[in-house]
Amino acid sequence: MSDQQHQLPRQYHDAVLHWQRHNFPDFPRLAEQWDTYFPKDDAFCLCARIQQNMPDRIEVGERAGQPKAVVPKELDPKAAEELLAIIRAQASTEFGSIQQHQATLARASDPQDQAWVLRVMAEELRHGYQMIHLLTSADWSPVTDTKPQDMVEEILSMKTGSHVLAAFNLEYDSFVDNVVFAAFIDRVGKYQLTMQKVNAYKPMAASMPPMLREEAFHLAAGVIPMRRWAEAAAQPDALITMPAMQRAVYKWYGRGLEMFGDERGGKTNVRLGLKDKTNRVAQDEYIAEVDRMLDDINQRYVRARFPQLSRDDADALYARVKGDRGTIDGVSWDEDLLKLPHPGFFRRRGEYAFQMIGVDGSKFDDVERYIEHVRDHLPEAYLASIDVKHWAELQRGVANGTVPLETALKSMPRLARVGGACPCANSVRWVVDVEVPANGGQETRLNP
Amino acid sequence: MTELDIEGITRIDERITTRYRPEVWEQRVSYYIRRDAESSQVAEVNGSVAGFMMGEVRGGEFGLEEPTGWIEFFGVDPDVRGRDLGRKLIDAILAHFRDQGAHIARTMVASADTDIAGFLKAMQFTPAAVAALEKRL
């Protein structure tokens, strides 16, 4: 169960720290707060962790039973190409989520919630570091002409609006987003990491267990505040209401579903031994899991609203309200409880992309009515974003035939603060040349 | 054990103690998830949490330097007792402790709690060569 810790070669380690100073300025506060909120836990380590004693043979796909690759050139060329894209996308998500969290971190109303998110951000930084380790510790030249330093440069240059996946291009409107994102979007991350534990590239597979152990806490950092907010929401003076959380669910759920890839795809990754589930299989499991999560949160709300009821009576009341989709004893399914929208609601990728499906699964024929419907369900602050404006324009274009679906599927909003190199006046790149150490710049094992 | 087991664990605790304490179990579950997400175990019956066992490997406490698997909280839904869930939970957590390098597991039980003491004895737990001491403040 042990893992080995590795530090990146200096130029990349320094580039990540440089990126952190600009994009994650609250990072030093984590060390200051560690003993208050995580008193028994080992100190945070910005390092790559490689699990030991992982399987040596490919576990799924056409090459099942053959030895796993330990360098990219040993992979099937198509698998190497796909894997490189996966690692770059994964790296983008890790750094991207920090940029999103940072914007509203200071708005947390509870110091523990804030400290938990701060730790989540630091561990996402470590996960990004892990992906850079995968990119820079091996020779990827058989599948790309891009040099390692340029791959790292590209990842660190991304901003909210230019990341690979849409979920990481949405800005947070409040601390509700920090928490709902952890509950919904980090959960997709858990699925992706779990599927990649079988990866035919052994260093990738061995990167997953340490990341998954940390990801488990990230999900708790989302679900537990949501549970507490639901309890508080049962009181008339609640500041964070169930409708506010519901709107955040509507904002994030579709983006989470799209992170699995097109529902009809994923067979190639299984065939190549990179993942053990197709997109739809994994997505269906995710949907069942988040539905159960909302059940738990709703039950907490019902218990707080009716403290005189026994556990069994409260559970029975919730089951009746959910079953009837109605209002019983003043508890309304529509107004008071959290629910998942139809998987086709507000989608821009996958089999439901731009199909104008409402939260309850009903289909719209009139695009303006559909845009109104989506508008009426999203958080008000989010409506003012370029992301929603961009979606509405595409939705209109697809509906009236002026934008081909294929074009819409590839279109991403471009925010004003997109891309670019380090904002330091004295540097134009994140990765800068450093004096090569005696070991030739090879990575250092911290705990061999 | 995951964060989605909190509600089920709270329910079992409520059945056993008649107290509804979600915030207590949120703190405890988040602690064990953070420390070692794979250590603590839950048992499910028909898709619902029917038992749980929380613990972790630590060393250096009470002068006991060796890595020790500490079992700290456990419970089984009274409705499903008699199905060997306790044994399955303890087998799973002890296997994880072994993987983490522990060669001994420890726990404490109130002497008045004869059911739990009996269960632990059946699981081959024996009195330790350390004494639990207390002083009322």
Side-chain angles (χ1 to χ4, degrees), chain A residues 117-130:
Chain A
V117 169
L118 190 57
R119 177 169 174 164
V120 167
M121 294 166 71
E123 290 174 348
E124 301 295 9
L125 186 69
R126 196 199 75 70
H127 296 180
Y129 192 98
Q130 184 92 26

Side-chain angles (χ1 to χ4, degrees), chain A residues 316-326 328 333:
Chain A
L317 171 61
Y318 173 62
R320 290 203 328 269
V321 174
K322 186 178 182 184
D324 296 350
R325 301 287 196 266
I328 300 174
W333 177 251

Side-chain angles (χ1 to χ4, degrees), chain A residues 1, chain B residues 41 89-102:
Chain A
M1 294 294 289
Chain B
Q41 308 288 326
L89 285 165
I90 216 159
D91 285 348
I93 204 168
L94 294 183
H96 183 79
F97 288 165
R98 277 186 215 100
D99 285 348
Q100 294 292 95

Side-chain angles (χ1 to χ4, degrees), chain A residues 1 38 40-41 112 116 119 187 213 216 223-224 227-228 289 292 296 300 303 311-312 315, chain B residues 3-7 11 14-15 20 22 26-27 30-31 33-35 37-38 96 99-100:
Chain A
M1 294 294 289
F38 317 113
K40 290 185 175 180
D41 299 4
Q112 177 178 276
W116 283 13
R119 177 169 174 164
R187 193 173 304 281
R213 285 195 280 276
V223 171
I224 291 175
R227 288 172 53 85
R228 291 187 185 133
E289 191 170 304
R292 176 183 163 195
D296 285 354
R300 181 87 184 263
R303 286 302 299 270
R311 154 69 70 175
D312 289 343
D315 287 353
Chain B
E3 82 291 346
L4 297 184
D5 297 318
I6 293 170
E7 192 67 18
R11 182 179 286 113
E14 194 175 1
R15 290 232 163 98
Y20 176 56
E26 283 164 358
Q27 285 301 116
S30 67
Y31 169 86
I33 286 175
R34 217 175 60 222
R35 300 274 301 161
E38 294 156 349
H96 183 79
D99 285 348
Q100 294 292 95

